[in-house]
Amino acid sequence: MVLEMKNIRKQFDGLEVLKDISFHVDSGEVVSIIGPSGSGKSTLLRCATFLETIDGGEILYMGEHAAHTDASGKAVYVHPKQLHRFRSYCGLVFQQFNLFPHYNVLKNLTDAPIHVQHRSREEAEETAMELLRKMGIADKANAYPYQLSGGQQQRVAIARALAMRPEILYFDEPTSALDPELTGEVLKVIRQLAEEKMTMVVVTHEMPFARAVSNRVIFMDGGVIVEQGHPEAVFGDPEQERTRQFLSNYQR
């Protein structure tokens, strides 16, 4: 098991955004998280990747605790040095690409492997070019983000996350800033990664994609998991009325 989150709670200014969330992700599995805006999906991803701290619950990677709740009910994280190791297990692709505008594409991909993972420049560049070829944008290695389309920028962002060799890759609505044509480019890349058994958690509003690619789908609303299961069960015959209501807004 790559990730396990147990009884996760998170609030902002007294508002409980995550209420007792528990789920896991096995190696090679693709888990899609769907649900309306404000349901807590992105916050859950930010907690899983340590961009936000939890208020209670447990986070385990590869069977080891990164955070747990102590006797007083407070969430306690491991020592920062150990947390750095847990962070290295995660790759995260954002909605808005978040590329460094003053770096060209190649430097966007090699900067962290060289300075954070202390890999040689030669190895980092070789890996970067291999990933860019895989994304179909090797010819853009020397271009700057402003010279790329949205779809190309998002593919660079995916390659940058993969360059760090994460155990699990998280996507936070990776196509929400793209038009339909560019959306197809990015979904094709994620589909290819799924075929290669990359472990992934995808927050998405692309229902046909979630149905086709996922091993498991989680439907969230109001900070809780309303329903989860095999895509055909969740999309084809949901158990919960709230799930049916949500999915009725999408073409089956």
Side-chain angles (χ1 to χ4, degrees):
M1 195 179 296
V2 178
L3 168 72
E4 193 170 7
M5 297 186 85
K6 298 181 185 176
N7 311 113
I8 300 298
R9 292 182 289 103
K10 176 67 181 175
Q11 59 176 355
F12 295 107
D13 302 322
L15 177 70
E16 211 173 8
V17 179
L18 299 176
K19 308 168 187 174
D20 198 27
I21 294 269
S22 296
F23 79 105
H24 70 276
V25 183
D26 291 326
S27 179
E29 192 175 31
V30 180
V31 176
S32 288
I33 304 178
I34 62 172
S37 297
S39 57
K41 306 183 301 294
S42 293
T43 301
L44 184 61
L45 246 58
R46 291 178 68 81
C47 288
T49 54
F50 310 108
L51 293 175
E52 296 283 358
T53 53
I54 59 172
D55 296 323
E58 300 173 62
I59 302 175
L60 296 91
Y61 275 97
M62 323 301 281
E64 288 184 80
H65 273 94
H68 70 279
T69 304
D70 66 12
S72 69
K74 186 186 171 198
V76 178
Y77 283 79
V78 293
H79 186 274
K81 223 171 210 176
Q82 288 176 285
L83 199 59
H84 176 75
R85 177 167 60 85
F86 283 109
R87 281 198 173 102
S88 74
Y89 293 150
C90 315
L92 178 58
V93 179
F94 300 90
Q95 295 177 28
Q96 299 294 341
F97 326 133
N98 286 18
L99 300 175
F100 297 115
H102 53 296
Y103 288 174
N104 68 15
V105 166
L106 187 63
K107 190 165 169 57
N108 260 286
L109 265 67
T110 58
D111 195 59
I114 291 169
H115 294 109
V116 177
Q117 295 181 333
H118 309 295
R119 278 147 62 186
S120 71
R121 181 172 299 279
E122 185 184 15
E123 185 199 348
E125 289 187 353
E126 192 178 314
T127 300
M129 288 309 300
E130 193 180 306
L131 286 166
L132 290 175
R133 279 192 288 275
K134 185 174 180 174
M135 300 292 151
I137 45 174
D139 58 327
K140 302 295 182 186
N142 295 313
Y144 284 82
Y146 77 90
Q147 296 172 310
L148 306 177
S149 71
Q152 289 169 335
Q153 288 187 62
Q154 193 59 297
R155 281 182 281 162
V156 172
I158 295 169
R160 182 177 65 177
L162 289 169
M164 297 294 283
R165 296 175 180 161
E167 295 290 339
I168 183 169
L169 195 52
Y170 294 92
F171 293 87
D172 188 5
E173 299 202 12
T175 60
S176 64
L178 305 176
D179 67 35
E181 190 175 1
L182 300 180
T183 291
E185 291 178 10
V186 173
L187 294 182
K188 184 179 172 188
V189 168
I190 300 173
R191 196 182 292 261
Q192 184 185 343
L193 292 172
E195 286 168 4
E196 293 167 7
K197 299 297 179 197
M198 179 75 205
T199 309
M200 295 185 282
V201 177
V202 187
V203 169
T204 184
H205 55 269
E206 299 289 338
M207 300 301 148
F209 170 79
R211 186 172 187 167
V213 173
S214 312
N215 300 102
R216 196 151 34 90
V217 173
I218 292 173
F219 171 59
M220 282 181 69
D221 191 25
V224 299
I225 292 176
V226 176
E227 187 164 350
Q228 63 175 311
H230 189 275
E232 287 310 313
V234 174
F235 286 104
D237 188 20
E239 290 177 9
Q240 303 299 322
E241 177 56 35
R242 181 66 189 98
T243 315
R244 284 195 287 274
Q245 199 180 23
F246 175 75
L247 291 173
S248 68
N249 296 314
Y250 294 89
Q251 284 184 317
R252 296 288 174 91

